[in-house]
Short mmCIF file of all heavy atoms in Angstrom, two decimals:
data_model
loop_
_atom_site.label_atom_id
_atom_site.label_comp_id
_atom_site.label_asym_id
_atom_site.label_seq_id
_atom_site.Cartn_x
_atom_site.Cartn_y
_atom_site.Cartn_z
N GLY Z 163 27.65 -26.41 -5.01
CA GLY Z 163 27.11 -25.67 -6.14
C GLY Z 163 27.48 -24.21 -6.21
O GLY Z 163 27.06 -23.52 -7.14
N PHE Z 164 28.26 -23.71 -5.26
CA PHE Z 164 28.65 -22.30 -5.28
C PHE Z 164 29.97 -22.13 -6.03
O PHE Z 164 30.92 -22.89 -5.83
CB PHE Z 164 28.77 -21.74 -3.87
CG PHE Z 164 27.45 -21.55 -3.18
CD1 PHE Z 164 26.97 -22.48 -2.27
CD2 PHE Z 164 26.67 -20.44 -3.47
CE1 PHE Z 164 25.75 -22.30 -1.64
CE2 PHE Z 164 25.44 -20.24 -2.85
CZ PHE Z 164 24.98 -21.19 -1.93
N ASP Z 165 30.03 -21.11 -6.89
CA ASP Z 165 31.26 -20.79 -7.60
C ASP Z 165 32.27 -20.12 -6.69
O ASP Z 165 33.47 -20.33 -6.83
CB ASP Z 165 30.96 -19.83 -8.77
CG ASP Z 165 30.11 -20.48 -9.84
OD1 ASP Z 165 30.40 -21.62 -10.22
OD2 ASP Z 165 29.14 -19.83 -10.29
N THR Z 166 31.78 -19.29 -5.78
CA THR Z 166 32.65 -18.58 -4.85
C THR Z 166 32.06 -18.61 -3.46
O THR Z 166 30.83 -18.75 -3.29
CB THR Z 166 32.86 -17.11 -5.28
OG1 THR Z 166 31.59 -16.43 -5.29
CG2 THR Z 166 33.49 -17.02 -6.66
N SER Z 167 32.91 -18.48 -2.45
CA SER Z 167 32.45 -18.45 -1.07
C SER Z 167 33.30 -17.46 -0.28
O SER Z 167 34.48 -17.26 -0.59
CB SER Z 167 32.52 -19.84 -0.43
OG SER Z 167 33.88 -20.27 -0.32
N TYR Z 168 32.69 -16.86 0.73
CA TYR Z 168 33.40 -15.88 1.55
C TYR Z 168 32.63 -15.73 2.85
O TYR Z 168 31.40 -15.65 2.86
CB TYR Z 168 33.47 -14.53 0.84
CG TYR Z 168 34.02 -13.40 1.68
CD1 TYR Z 168 35.39 -13.28 1.90
CD2 TYR Z 168 33.18 -12.45 2.25
CE1 TYR Z 168 35.91 -12.24 2.66
CE2 TYR Z 168 33.68 -11.40 3.01
CZ TYR Z 168 35.05 -11.30 3.21
OH TYR Z 168 35.55 -10.28 3.97
N GLY Z 169 33.36 -15.69 3.97
CA GLY Z 169 32.69 -15.49 5.25
C GLY Z 169 33.21 -16.44 6.29
O GLY Z 169 34.42 -16.57 6.48
N PHE Z 170 32.30 -17.14 6.98
CA PHE Z 170 32.72 -18.03 8.05
C PHE Z 170 31.93 -19.33 8.01
O PHE Z 170 30.75 -19.35 7.67
CB PHE Z 170 32.61 -17.35 9.41
CG PHE Z 170 31.24 -16.86 9.78
CD1 PHE Z 170 30.48 -17.52 10.73
CD2 PHE Z 170 30.72 -15.70 9.21
CE1 PHE Z 170 29.22 -17.06 11.09
CE2 PHE Z 170 29.45 -15.23 9.57
CZ PHE Z 170 28.70 -15.92 10.52
N LEU Z 171 32.61 -20.41 8.38
CA LEU Z 171 32.02 -21.74 8.30
C LEU Z 171 31.24 -22.10 9.55
O LEU Z 171 30.28 -22.87 9.48
CB LEU Z 171 33.12 -22.79 8.07
CG LEU Z 171 33.93 -22.64 6.78
CD1 LEU Z 171 35.12 -23.60 6.80
CD2 LEU Z 171 33.06 -22.89 5.57
N HIS Z 172 31.64 -21.58 10.70
CA HIS Z 172 31.04 -21.96 11.97
C HIS Z 172 29.71 -21.23 12.21
O HIS Z 172 29.26 -20.43 11.40
CB HIS Z 172 32.00 -21.66 13.11
CG HIS Z 172 33.11 -22.65 13.24
ND1 HIS Z 172 34.07 -22.81 12.27
CD2 HIS Z 172 33.42 -23.54 14.22
CE1 HIS Z 172 34.93 -23.75 12.66
NE2 HIS Z 172 34.56 -24.21 13.82
N GLY Z 173 29.14 -21.48 13.39
CA GLY Z 173 27.83 -20.94 13.70
C GLY Z 173 27.84 -19.55 14.29
O GLY Z 173 26.86 -18.83 14.19
N GLN Z 174 28.93 -19.16 14.93
CA GLN Z 174 28.98 -17.84 15.53
C GLN Z 174 30.44 -17.41 15.61
O GLN Z 174 31.34 -18.25 15.74
CB GLN Z 174 28.35 -17.85 16.93
CG GLN Z 174 29.01 -18.82 17.89
CD GLN Z 174 28.16 -19.15 19.09
OE1 GLN Z 174 27.32 -20.03 19.03
NE2 GLN Z 174 28.38 -18.45 20.19
N ILE Z 175 30.67 -16.12 15.54
CA ILE Z 175 32.04 -15.61 15.54
C ILE Z 175 32.10 -14.29 16.30
O ILE Z 175 31.11 -13.58 16.43
CB ILE Z 175 32.57 -15.38 14.11
CG1 ILE Z 175 31.64 -14.44 13.33
CG2 ILE Z 175 32.78 -16.70 13.39
CD1 ILE Z 175 32.21 -13.95 12.01
N ASP Z 176 33.30 -13.98 16.79
CA ASP Z 176 33.56 -12.63 17.28
C ASP Z 176 33.52 -11.71 16.07
O ASP Z 176 34.18 -11.97 15.06
CB ASP Z 176 34.93 -12.59 17.95
CG ASP Z 176 35.24 -11.22 18.53
OD1 ASP Z 176 35.41 -10.26 17.75
OD2 ASP Z 176 35.34 -11.11 19.77
N PRO Z 177 32.76 -10.62 16.12
CA PRO Z 177 32.60 -9.78 14.92
C PRO Z 177 33.88 -9.10 14.45
O PRO Z 177 33.96 -8.71 13.29
CB PRO Z 177 31.55 -8.74 15.35
CG PRO Z 177 31.55 -8.76 16.83
CD PRO Z 177 31.91 -10.14 17.23
N TYR Z 178 34.89 -8.99 15.33
CA TYR Z 178 36.14 -8.35 14.92
C TYR Z 178 37.29 -9.33 14.71
O TYR Z 178 38.06 -9.19 13.75
CB TYR Z 178 36.55 -7.29 15.95
CG TYR Z 178 35.76 -6.01 15.82
CD1 TYR Z 178 34.76 -5.69 16.72
CD2 TYR Z 178 36.02 -5.12 14.78
CE1 TYR Z 178 34.02 -4.52 16.60
CE2 TYR Z 178 35.29 -3.94 14.65
CZ TYR Z 178 34.30 -3.65 15.56
OH TYR Z 178 33.57 -2.49 15.43
N THR Z 179 37.43 -10.33 15.57
CA THR Z 179 38.53 -11.28 15.38
C THR Z 179 38.16 -12.34 14.34
O THR Z 179 39.04 -12.96 13.75
CB THR Z 179 38.88 -11.99 16.69
OG1 THR Z 179 37.83 -12.88 17.07
CG2 THR Z 179 39.14 -10.98 17.81
N HIS Z 180 36.85 -12.58 14.19
CA HIS Z 180 36.31 -13.55 13.24
C HIS Z 180 36.64 -15.00 13.62
O HIS Z 180 36.54 -15.90 12.78
CB HIS Z 180 36.80 -13.27 11.80
CG HIS Z 180 36.71 -11.85 11.41
ND1 HIS Z 180 37.65 -11.23 10.63
CD2 HIS Z 180 35.80 -10.89 11.73
CE1 HIS Z 180 37.33 -9.96 10.46
NE2 HIS Z 180 36.21 -9.73 11.13
N TYR Z 181 36.99 -15.22 14.89
CA TYR Z 181 37.25 -16.57 15.37
C TYR Z 181 35.99 -17.14 16.02
O TYR Z 181 35.17 -16.41 16.57
CB TYR Z 181 38.41 -16.59 16.36
CG TYR Z 181 39.77 -16.59 15.70
CD1 TYR Z 181 40.29 -15.42 15.14
CD2 TYR Z 181 40.53 -17.75 15.61
CE1 TYR Z 181 41.53 -15.42 14.51
CE2 TYR Z 181 41.77 -17.76 14.99
CZ TYR Z 181 42.25 -16.59 14.44
OH TYR Z 181 43.48 -16.59 13.82
N TYR Z 182 35.88 -18.47 15.95
CA TYR Z 182 34.77 -19.16 16.61
C TYR Z 182 34.96 -19.09 18.12
O TYR Z 182 36.05 -18.77 18.61
CB TYR Z 182 34.74 -20.62 16.12
CG TYR Z 182 33.59 -21.45 16.62
CD1 TYR Z 182 32.28 -21.00 16.56
CD2 TYR Z 182 33.82 -22.72 17.16
CE1 TYR Z 182 31.23 -21.79 17.00
CE2 TYR Z 182 32.78 -23.51 17.61
CZ TYR Z 182 31.49 -23.04 17.54
OH TYR Z 182 30.46 -23.82 17.98
N LYS Z 183 33.92 -19.41 18.86
CA LYS Z 183 33.93 -19.24 20.31
C LYS Z 183 35.05 -20.02 21.01
O LYS Z 183 35.54 -19.60 22.05
CB LYS Z 183 32.58 -19.61 20.90
CG LYS Z 183 32.15 -21.04 20.67
CD LYS Z 183 30.74 -21.28 21.20
CE LYS Z 183 30.27 -22.69 20.93
NZ LYS Z 183 28.87 -22.89 21.42
N ASN Z 184 35.45 -21.17 20.45
CA ASN Z 184 36.50 -21.96 21.08
C ASN Z 184 37.90 -21.64 20.55
O ASN Z 184 38.87 -22.31 20.90
CB ASN Z 184 36.22 -23.46 20.90
CG ASN Z 184 36.27 -23.89 19.44
OD1 ASN Z 184 36.52 -23.08 18.55
ND2 ASN Z 184 36.03 -25.17 19.19
#
Side-chain angles (χ1 to χ4, degrees):
F164 288 100
D165 294 314
T166 61
S167 66
Y168 173 77
F170 58 106
L171 299 171
H172 284 65
Q174 58 198 85
I175 56 169
D176 182 292
Y178 282 105
T179 69
H180 314 143
Y181 278 76
Y182 184 49
K183 61 185 178 182
N184 65 0

